[in-house]
Amino acid sequence: MSTIQQVASLAKVSVATVSRVINNSAGVSEKTRQKVEQAIERLKYQPNAMGTFLRKDKTNMILVLVHSVDNPFFSMIIQGIENIAHHNNYNVLICTTYGDRSREQHYVKMLRNHYVDGMILISNTLTLDEINELNTNYPLVQVIEYLPESKAPYYSVDFYQASYDLMEHLISSGCKNIAYVHTGSTQIISHLEKYRAYIDVLTKHNLPILSKTNEEYNFGFISAKSVAALLLDENPQIDGFFATSDLIAIGIIDELQTRKKRIPEDIKVVGFDNTIFSSIYNPAITTVELNTYELGCKSMELLLNKIEKLEKDIKKDHVLPYQIIVKDSSQK
Amino acid sequence: MSTIQQVASLAKVSVATVSRVINNSAGVSEKTRQKVEQAIERLKYQPNAMGTFLRKDKTNMILVLVHSVDNPFFSMIIQGIENIAHHNNYNVLICTTYGDRSREQHYVKMLRNHYVDGMILISNTLTLDEINELNTNYPLVQVIEYLPESKAPYYSVDFYQASYDLMEHLISSGCKNIAYVHTGSTQIISHLEKYRAYIDVLTKHNLPILSKTNEEYNFGFISAKSVAALLLDENPQIDGFFATSDLIAIGIIDELQTRKKRIPEDIKVVGFDNTIFSSIYNPAITTVELNTYELGCKSMELLLNKIEKLEKDIKKDHVLPYQIIVKDSSQK
DNA sequence: TTGTATGCGTTATCAC
DNA sequence: GTGATAACGCATACAA
């Protein structure tokens, strides 16, 4: 491994000149530039990024804290983030927590240690105090999931209204006994808002509340299947399922098919997120498009603003539109 | 942001002592330690990782180069890698290329620039020369996909034998016209070996060869559906499909169901990788378990050996066992 | 047990 | 247009 020193010696110039050549700074004569470039070539010199980082106090890396990525829902957000990041010469460090708080703390430490210039939280278990503290000291953006009371800005979707629309769709399709199924954390805003809409719509129509959640995520599918089984055992009259994700919907449908129920004739099912799963499954699943790629792009743009302090007063709440996508699983 | 200097001043000790406290080095009196810890606490001091990295010429980060991660197949490998990495105080940087060579080169540069201490290649488009050059200069390990002629070590599976077994299974289940479907890169070793077995088994049994590939990956499913449609139009006699992944199998089955074919009665289908998809789909898909988590663990252990030069002569070829998992899609 | 001094590799300021 | 040099924050060899 050669250093800038060795290049300077070989080219018979100072390290300053070599640095200028590397960074394409103005004020280097063509002759010198070529000498230096030849030396770089001969030594196969590669700048040591750590020297640069230390000197500049900037790594051009940002960290994305996410539960897991083995789900097109999250990976689309990340692709949006990466798109904007790469166009602005930033690298994206994907860090998966799998809900483990110690892993999460470990990654947060990377922000504190100047490993990265900023952080995007997709789904996290940080407390309100932690987020507020981090937000005052470091560039921080929340996307999809967020703490509404926190001071950190976020990009998300109106989960309440989307769920309201979905519920009205189920009811207008003839459902009278609609069950709500959620697996994974019950602290997240998306679930809370979906559930709130579920309750409100049922109350408005004077229909019974039939809901069950399971803190275990288990890729959504596994937990959902058993939750659906319990619900159906206790409430054989169920004729509609509101699932908080496409994967949960698939778990429910799998259980229904085991019980020889026809979908949508006997029971209708709706999911959320419009992932590839809702298209490849049989039947295709009614769902909600959240424009996750766009959300990723926007949140990265916001983070860049914070890092490079382009704007002083950054708006805190950003809500992007959604679209209800009706497919086979809930047709009349 | 405070520095070690400020902590030293406040605690009225030298920076060396502060450094000793931070790193839990021996030879610091209890009294001094407490003084320093109080100063650290008061200043909310967080060490700047870049200083440490530069000084130690080590980042304790490794890079995983992978096509994409929105697939349980890859994410299981990565979980294995992360497991071993974290137990050895290393961080894992997940870098997705989506088959884009410029992104790939960008990430490779991070290895050259001392950003990371080593690299694991899961699926890549690096040339033989590139891999060999990198392997001589940096710690490098290949997993799953590899260039057999390269000098870099790898952990993988006997794709030929696994495919041979699968083909024999299809034939013994009664299939006489078996089609081979692959989407994505056709340069990868897994496809080449699978295809070689496909040909060998058919030749041995004197059966016709019916294969089609599509370089476009498209999440496997989309491309596979159209490939299957073409194959079925041209060869209505097909009674078995060998798909090179579970997602491809799903695409095929989707096309078959559109055509009102019964599976497995009319046509049998087998996939590969034993991802969650092969279980959640209806029918459940016969597949091959590759022990991806284990492969991830082993390859990280190997990389650690190379980084910390524990062993001198590292074996180059490592082949882990597989298991054929028969499910509904190919039952007699 | 503690402090001093040096260097890791780079960039940037200031001379010339 | 180029060079000398200080500084970034930290760890460590050596001295005390």
Side-chain angles (χ1 to χ4, degrees):
Chain A
M1 296 306 90
S2 46
T3 72
I4 201 171
Q5 274 292 351
Q6 300 170 23
V7 174
S9 308
L10 183 61
K12 297 195 201 311
V13 296
S14 71
V15 291
T17 300
V18 178
S19 179
R20 287 187 189 102
V21 171
I22 293 165
N23 296 292
N24 279 315
S25 305
V28 179
S29 75
E30 193 49 36
K31 208 171 59 186
T32 322
R33 160 163 269 113
Q34 292 198 355
K35 262 199 311 187
V36 172
E37 275 167 355
Q38 279 170 23
I40 288 174
E41 179 57 34
R42 275 194 42 203
L43 291 174
K44 302 251 173 263
Y45 167 69
Q46 306 279 352
N48 183 324
M50 296 310 137
T52 313
F53 292 162
L54 179 57
R55 179 60 224 238
K56 295 194 180 176
D57 194 23
K58 192 146 181 352
T59 63
N60 275 52
M61 302 212 293
I62 68 111
L63 190 160
V64 175
L65 204 64
V66 61
H67 178 278
S68 49
V69 291
D70 51 5
N71 186 318
F73 176 65
F74 288 136
S75 72
M76 279 306 284
I77 304 171
I78 294 174
Q79 283 183 52
I81 293 172
E82 287 179 330
N83 172 35
I84 301 301
H86 291 158
H87 276 96
N88 288 274
N89 200 31
Y90 275 77
N91 274 315
V92 178
L93 236 138
I94 304 166
C95 296
T96 51
T97 65
Y98 295 94
D100 178 355
R101 224 182 119 69
S102 76
R103 278 181 76 151
E104 189 172 65
Q105 291 295 325
H106 177 84
Y107 290 132
V108 166
K109 207 172 161 191
M110 293 175 65
L111 181 63
R112 299 186 190 281
N113 288 352
H114 301 224
Y115 236 88
V116 293
D117 299 340
M119 179 160 81
I120 295 181
L121 300 172
I122 299 189
S123 60
N124 65 83
T125 59
L126 297 173
T127 66
L128 180 60
D129 286 347
E130 285 172 327
I131 288 189
N132 280 337
E133 183 266 320
L134 287 172
N135 182 55
T136 58
N137 293 315
Y138 310 92
L140 193 72
V141 173
Q142 306 174 93
V143 63
I144 299 283
E145 303 294 347
Y146 58 95
L147 292 183
E149 327 89 82
S150 81
K151 298 202 183 70
Y154 65 84
Y155 265 96
S156 191
V157 167
D158 189 341
F159 289 110
Y160 179 83
Q161 193 57 50
S163 306
Y164 204 102
D165 294 357
L166 263 188
M167 284 296 293
E168 290 286 12
H169 162 73
L170 278 176
I171 288 171
S172 72
S173 300
C175 295
K176 301 227 175 296
N177 292 280
I178 304 172
Y180 178 98
V181 178
H182 173 73
T183 69
S185 168
T186 52
Q187 308 301 315
I188 55 181
I189 190 82
S190 62
H191 156 67
L192 295 172
E193 290 290 282
K194 288 168 187 170
Y195 190 69
R196 193 161 67 85
Y198 168 78
I199 298 291
D200 284 0
V201 172
L202 290 185
T203 307
K204 172 181 153 200
H205 289 272
N206 226 336
L207 291 173
I209 292 164
L210 302 160
S211 90
K212 234 184 191 63
T213 61
N214 186 336
E215 283 278 344
E216 257 184 271
Y217 175 65
N218 233 336
F219 210 75
F221 167 77
I222 315 283
S223 304
K225 188 173 158 76
S226 56
V227 169
L230 282 173
L231 274 165
L232 288 163
D233 286 346
E234 293 170 14
N235 311 279
Q237 76 278 19
I238 287 174
D239 56 5
F241 273 99
F242 180 111
T244 57
S245 79
D246 294 337
L247 279 171
I248 292 173
I250 287 176
I252 293 168
I253 293 175
D254 195 54
E255 179 61 24
L256 290 173
Q257 287 177 335
T258 307
R259 294 173 182 233
K260 307 290 178 207
K261 299 286 187 185
R262 291 169 307 157
I263 302 153
E265 294 82 356
D266 302 333
I267 303 190
K268 304 188 198 316
V269 181
V270 299
F272 231 97
D273 304 344
N274 195 26
T275 56
I276 186 97
F277 297 111
S278 66
S279 305
I280 71 174
Y281 208 66
N282 204 318
I285 300 164
T286 292
T287 185
V288 185
E289 168 65 51
L290 301 181
N291 303 302
T292 42
Y293 184 82
E294 186 76 5
L295 281 165
C297 293
K298 291 290 187 186
S299 56
M300 184 64 210
E301 283 168 4
L302 182 54
L303 187 66
L304 283 175
N305 271 341
K306 293 196 83 175
I307 291 174
E308 297 172 359
K309 295 184 183 57
L310 299 179
E311 294 166 32
K312 277 173 200 168
D313 294 310
I314 288 173
K315 196 164 146 263
K316 211 204 92 186
D317 307 343
H318 301 266
V319 179
L320 260 51
Y322 61 88
Q323 293 87 35
I324 305 284
I325 316 274
V326 177
K327 299 185 193 171
D328 301 336
S329 69
S330 70
Q331 301 282 22
K332 226 180 203 162
Chain B
M1 297 305 91
S2 46
T3 72
I4 200 171
Q5 273 292 350
Q6 300 171 24
V7 175
S9 308
L10 183 61
K12 298 196 200 310
V13 296
S14 72
V15 291
T17 300
V18 178
S19 179
R20 287 185 189 104
V21 171
I22 292 166
N23 296 292
N24 278 316
S25 305
V28 178
S29 75
E30 193 49 35
K31 207 171 60 186
T32 321
R33 161 163 269 115
Q34 292 197 355
K35 262 200 312 189
V36 172
E37 276 168 353
Q38 279 170 23
I40 288 174
E41 180 56 34
R42 276 194 40 203
L43 291 173
K44 302 249 173 266
Y45 166 68
Q46 305 279 354
N48 182 323
M50 296 311 136
T52 313
F53 292 163
L54 180 58
R55 177 63 223 242
K56 295 194 180 177
D57 195 23
K58 192 149 182 347
T59 64
N60 275 51
M61 302 212 294
I62 69 112
L63 190 159
V64 175
L65 203 64
V66 61
H67 177 279
S68 50
V69 68
D70 51 5
N71 186 319
F73 176 66
F74 288 136
S75 72
M76 280 306 284
I77 305 171
I78 293 174
Q79 283 184 52
I81 293 172
E82 286 180 330
N83 172 35
I84 302 300
H86 291 158
H87 276 97
N88 289 274
N89 201 30
Y90 275 78
N91 275 315
V92 177
L93 235 139
I94 304 167
C95 297
T96 49
T97 64
Y98 295 94
D100 178 355
R101 224 183 120 69
S102 76
R103 280 182 75 149
E104 189 172 66
Q105 291 296 325
H106 178 84
Y107 290 132
V108 167
K109 206 171 163 192
M110 293 175 65
L111 181 63
R112 299 187 190 280
N113 289 351
H114 301 225
Y115 238 85
V116 294
D117 299 339
M119 179 161 81
I120 295 181
L121 300 172
I122 298 189
S123 59
N124 64 83
T125 59
L126 297 173
T127 65
L128 181 59
D129 286 347
E130 285 172 326
I131 288 189
N132 280 337
E133 183 266 320
L134 286 172
N135 182 56
T136 58
N137 293 315
Y138 310 92
L140 193 72
V141 173
Q142 306 174 92
V143 62
I144 298 283
E145 303 294 347
Y146 57 95
L147 292 184
E149 328 87 81
S150 81
K151 298 202 181 70
Y154 65 83
Y155 265 96
S156 192
V157 166
D158 189 341
F159 289 109
Y160 179 83
Q161 193 57 50
S163 306
Y164 203 101
D165 294 356
L166 263 188
M167 284 297 293
E168 289 287 11
H169 162 73
L170 277 175
I171 288 171
S172 72
S173 300
C175 296
K176 302 228 173 299
N177 292 280
I178 304 172
Y180 178 99
V181 177
H182 174 72
T183 68
S185 168
T186 52
Q187 308 299 317
I188 55 181
I189 190 82
S190 62
H191 157 66
L192 295 171
E193 290 290 282
K194 287 168 187 170
Y195 190 69
R196 194 162 66 84
Y198 168 77
I199 298 290
D200 284 1
V201 172
L202 290 185
T203 307
K204 172 182 153 201
H205 289 274
N206 225 335
L207 291 172
I209 291 164
L210 302 161
S211 92
K212 234 182 191 67
T213 62
N214 186 336
E215 282 279 344
E216 257 184 271
Y217 175 65
N218 233 335
F219 211 74
F221 167 78
I222 315 283
S223 305
K225 187 173 159 76
S226 56
V227 169
L230 282 172
L231 274 165
L232 288 162
D233 286 346
E234 292 170 13
N235 312 278
Q237 76 279 19
I238 288 174
D239 57 4
F241 274 98
F242 180 112
T244 57
S245 78
D246 293 337
L247 278 171
I248 293 172
I250 287 176
I252 294 168
I253 293 175
D254 195 54
E255 178 61 25
L256 290 172
Q257 287 177 334
T258 307
R259 295 173 181 233
K260 307 288 178 207
K261 299 286 187 185
R262 292 169 306 158
I263 301 153
E265 293 82 356
D266 302 334
I267 303 191
K268 305 189 197 316
V269 180
V270 298
F272 230 98
D273 304 345
N274 194 28
T275 55
I276 187 96
F277 297 111
S278 66
S279 304
I280 71 174
Y281 210 66
N282 203 320
I285 300 163
T286 294
T287 185
V288 185
E289 167 65 50
L290 301 181
N291 302 303
T292 41
Y293 184 81
E294 186 75 7
L295 281 164
C297 292
K298 292 289 188 189
S299 56
M300 184 64 210
E301 284 168 4
L302 183 54
L303 186 66
L304 282 175
N305 272 340
K306 292 196 84 175
I307 291 173
E308 297 173 359
K309 295 183 183 57
L310 298 179
E311 292 166 32
K312 278 175 200 166
D313 294 309
I314 288 173
K315 197 164 145 260
K316 209 204 93 187
D317 308 343
H318 301 266
V319 180
L320 260 51
Y322 61 87
Q323 293 87 36
I324 304 285
I325 316 274
V326 177
K327 300 185 193 169
D328 301 336
S329 70
S330 70
Q331 301 282 20
K332 225 180 201 161

